[in-house]
Amino acid sequence: MPEAVRRTLAPALVVSALLLATPALAGNGGFAPVEGVSPNADRINDAYNWVAIFTGAVFLLVQISLIWFIIRYRRRRRARTVEGAQIHGNTKLELAWTLAPVLILVAIGSYVFYKLPGIENVPSANAAGGRLDVQVDGYRYYWNYEYPNGVIAVDTLRAPLDQNVRLQIAAPDFEVIHSWWIPALGGKRDAIPGITNELWFRARLPGTYRGQCAEFCGIQHARMEAAVEVLPREEFDTWLEDEDRAQRNGTSDLGEQTYAGACAKCHGLEGEGDIGPTLRGNGLLGDPEAVEEVVRNGLGKMPPVGKDWGDRQMDALTEYLEEEVQGGS
Ligand code: CUA
């Protein structure tokens, strides 16, 4: 390929890749945010649309004037040496281009500040319908959730329909920073070791809402996905009770969830291009104590993914590895 062609082609490819990557998770071909299903997400989108009106208008104004000036004031047949008209000052125009941006900033600022409390402020626990509090912890490369009754879930959070949910987002002190973000359910919050950040949502439609860790946290950052599955209130309550019982007597799928979230993203059984050694045929799997040792302390490049897990989660994982992963391989 000739050098000149290569020089033009490479940036063009990069730019189109970036342009195509954006719409992948957004609405309207990349121009609009994901449609919200929670009041705070709606307010974020309102603010986005309000800002887009002004930026869109300024963009059109600038581009149209640019094209108009290029055509209207082109050189034509004038000699290169001919000087243009000498213009000094235009008070009305200068006032207009000073005042208009000030007014635009005031309009954007006041609207955003008007919307902000409804985005930021977590509804009180006494608000109608009550509130569910969930602890959300970011780990390399999975999300660990803990419900008030002690139920633990990995990556997929179940939540009740039409109820305020408060997320207390953090990371253990041996972790790096992650960021929780489910676009349809509102804002984004960093999970920072030692600091608890809050976020909330109240989903008005049942369904599964997906998101992705939004802070580059390491080699498997891209696989650190999260989902919130919104269930009708009664169904959720029943699930939470049943799940608690199942986790207590070791019959839940917590082991499988933990394996999928904390192990399988790096250790594929098929050696499918993953970053850690395959677990297929690994004798360690049948030895709960050895598994616990590695999981709590890490090994080589492997972080201590389960350093602070409770027995419930550790036992669930070791049992799952012993019975399902080793047995099935
Ligand atoms: Cu966790 Cu990126």
Side-chain angles (χ1 to χ4, degrees):
M1 199 183 290
E3 179 60 25
V5 176
R6 211 177 320 157
R7 236 182 286 151
T8 347
L9 207 57
L13 282 175
V14 170
V15 168
S16 32
L18 285 172
L19 287 176
L20 288 174
T22 324
L25 272 177
N28 291 345
F31 285 108
V34 172
E35 199 176 320
V37 291
S38 173
N40 51 346
D42 297 336
R43 289 178 189 123
I44 290 173
N45 290 356
D46 291 345
Y48 175 93
N49 291 330
W50 181 248
V51 174
I53 291 173
F54 293 100
T55 51
V58 170
F59 176 77
L60 287 180
L61 181 73
V62 170
Q63 297 305 317
I64 291 171
S65 331
L66 181 66
I67 293 170
W68 186 67
F69 272 70
I70 288 172
I71 297 171
R72 174 77 180 72
Y73 297 104
R74 67 188 187 279
R75 182 157 68 97
R76 290 209 175 90
R77 295 214 174 102
R78 279 187 306 245
R80 268 177 175 280
T81 46
V82 174
E83 274 197 40
Q86 303 296 300
I87 299 162
H88 292 283
N90 183 326
T91 313
K92 270 188 202 160
L93 193 61
E94 285 165 17
L95 276 177
W97 78 44
T98 309
L99 272 180
V102 169
L103 294 178
I104 290 175
L105 284 183
V106 169
I108 289 179
S110 21
Y111 188 78
V112 169
F113 278 112
Y114 161 70
K115 287 284 179 184
L116 207 50
I119 297 171
E120 279 280 300
N121 299 350
V122 179
S124 120
N126 306 317
R131 188 182 72 191
L132 173 75
D133 290 358
V134 183
Q135 175 71 33
V136 176
D137 283 299
Y139 288 73
R140 277 160 291 169
Y141 298 97
Y142 63 98
W143 295 100
N144 227 40
Y145 312 114
E146 189 171 349
Y147 293 87
N149 65 352
V151 161
I152 291 167
V154 180
D155 284 345
T156 299
L157 175 75
R158 289 193 160 170
L161 186 65
D162 284 325
Q163 190 186 359
N164 293 323
V165 177
R166 174 174 72 162
L167 304 176
Q168 292 176 289
I169 301 169
D173 58 7
F174 53 87
E175 261 301 323
V176 299
I177 300 176
H178 304 271
S179 187
W180 168 264
W181 191 28
I182 305 283
L185 295 176
K188 178 198 288 178
R189 276 288 180 282
D190 278 5
I192 303 170
I195 293 177
T196 299
N197 284 324
E198 293 193 339
L199 196 66
W200 70 282
F201 63 83
R202 186 171 67 243
R204 62 170 167 270
L205 284 173
T208 302
Y209 304 101
R210 298 188 183 283
Q212 154 78 49
C213 173
E215 181 74 51
F216 181 58
C217 52
I219 192 165
Q220 293 296 70
H221 157 73
R223 294 197 62 184
M224 191 165 169
E225 293 163 331
V228 173
E229 190 183 340
V230 175
L231 304 171
R233 183 78 171 261
E234 277 175 24
E235 204 179 311
F236 172 81
D237 290 341
T238 313
W239 167 78
L240 191 60
E241 262 177 52
D242 292 351
E243 183 67 9
D244 183 40
R245 212 169 305 123
Q247 292 195 358
R248 279 172 197 282
N249 58 33
T251 55
S252 77
D253 67 350
L254 179 60
E256 187 178 351
Q257 287 183 54
T258 303
Y259 170 72
C263 309
K265 287 172 190 165
C266 294
H267 302 275
L269 280 178
E270 311 302 331
E272 56 275 76
D274 284 298
I275 58 164
T278 174
L279 295 181
R280 180 173 298 282
N282 189 322
L284 209 72
L285 301 184
D287 183 349
E289 277 175 26
V291 169
E292 181 165 351
E293 166 77 20
V294 171
V295 161
R296 290 224 190 269
N297 300 304
L299 188 68
K301 286 183 187 164
M302 176 182 156
V305 288
K307 189 170 178 175
D308 63 351
W309 287 345
D311 290 343
R312 183 186 283 208
Q313 194 163 12
M314 188 62 79
D315 294 348
L317 177 71
T318 52
E319 228 163 86
Y320 180 77
L321 287 177
E322 196 173 0
E323 282 162 23
E324 301 296 327
V325 181
Q326 194 188 41
S329 68

